[in-house]
Amino acid sequence: AKATHWILMEDIDWKQDGETADTTELGRYTTKAEAVAAAKEKRNRSSYFLGMGEELFGDDDPPYWSGDCENYDDDQLQTIYLISPKAQDEAAARRLERVKKAMASKPPPKPIGKGKGKGKGAGICTVEYGEVQAEIPAYDMGLFVRNSCAIPGAQDVVPSSFPGSGTNGMLYQIQKHSDLFYLMRDFCLDGSGGATVGARYMVYKKKKVICHAVAWLPGPNNLNDLSNDDEASETIVDASHAGLFSPSPTGCVILLDAGTLVECCSPATKSLFLNMYAESAQG
């Protein structure tokens, strides 16, 4: 459906590096005139503009940026702006194209670790334990798009709606957890006590993060391999899925609640994958 309202938004940015600290939707308005009037009122009442908003901007339409007030003591800056129906429609079209691209994407190859191990194998099933030297597992942009979540209340995943991008994004962190859960499942269900599966991880450095990050290398199976497997679907309750998070500029809502989680389990359940849940669903 086409957008019909003008959206009034507010960004609070850190002055030092320009990174956004908070984004808030302030209201929706049927006409541009109503939205502009609301933006002016917000600007004139805001302490960020030091009472200079009307003097500086007069009858100009948004955006309004508090940096124009030259308040050198403020650590943060405020931007008040509008998103038109046309801009919303264009953004929706871009999101749809990204979803189509993700749906059509192919799973990346699984990395092969090189290091000391307790056995030798071929390809991705090389049997090793502990830390190995390997490439960081590739970001699979379509992992949670191609393989939808079976938990009731989950939503379709739109990769561009999650904060960050690539291996620095939220989706990649969920992907790492998912790969870890499927690896542990294979390890625990391996009749030889993990002797043919192994459990390998690698350590890498992330930008702007002091501590090193850890990624477990995918095992013989992951979500790509088992999402459409009828036997696995009966025994796995996979609640480690991006479809159970609803991200927005103002935060992230957990869509899974305790009651739904319990209802998804049965006597046939052998594996439960879980990131987090809320006492009651907020979605």
Side-chain angles (χ1 to χ4, degrees), residues 23 26 29 45 63 67 73 77 79 87 90 97 121 137 148 166 171 181 201 219 238 256-257 262 266 278:
T23 297
L26 302 176
Y29 302 88
R45 291 184 175 183
D73 294 328
L77 299 172
T79 304
E90 291 173 347
E97 285 303 312
S148 58
L171 270 184
F181 286 131
Y201 69 89
D238 187 353
L256 177 65
D257 65 87
V262 172
S266 73

Side-chain angles (χ1 to χ4, degrees), residues 127-256:
V127 180
E128 296 169 313
Y129 302 90
E131 183 178 352
V132 297
Q133 299 299 314
E135 294 293 326
I136 179 176
Y139 168 55
D140 185 353
M141 66 177 295
L143 176 65
F144 300 112
V145 179
R146 296 187 305 268
N147 308 294
S148 58
C149 183
I151 303 290
Q155 63 181 15
D156 293 336
V157 174
V158 179
S160 59
S161 66
F162 285 78
S165 61
T167 56
N168 289 315
M170 178 179 176
L171 270 184
Y172 185 66
Q173 303 309 310
I174 303 175
Q175 174 188 320
K176 289 201 302 180
H177 290 165
S178 177
D179 285 344
L180 169 59
F181 286 131
Y182 279 95
L183 169 63
M184 291 298 103
R185 173 186 180 274
D186 283 342
F187 186 91
C188 293
L189 294 182
D190 178 16
S192 61
T196 62
V197 175
R200 305 169 298 151
Y201 69 89
M202 52 85 62
V203 178
Y204 65 101
K205 185 74 172 66
K206 293 182 65 176
K207 293 181 179 179
K208 298 183 179 181
V209 178
I210 297 177
C211 299
H212 283 74
V214 172
W216 288 85
L217 274 60
N221 298 292
N222 64 5
L223 179 59
N224 282 315
D225 304 304
L226 298 181
S227 64
N228 294 316
D229 185 294
D230 292 337
E231 181 179 354
S233 298
E234 290 183 4
T235 61
I236 298 174
V237 175
D238 187 353
S240 179
H241 196 287
L244 294 172
F245 296 91
S246 179
S248 72
T250 58
C252 187
V253 175
I254 301 171
L255 301 177
L256 177 65

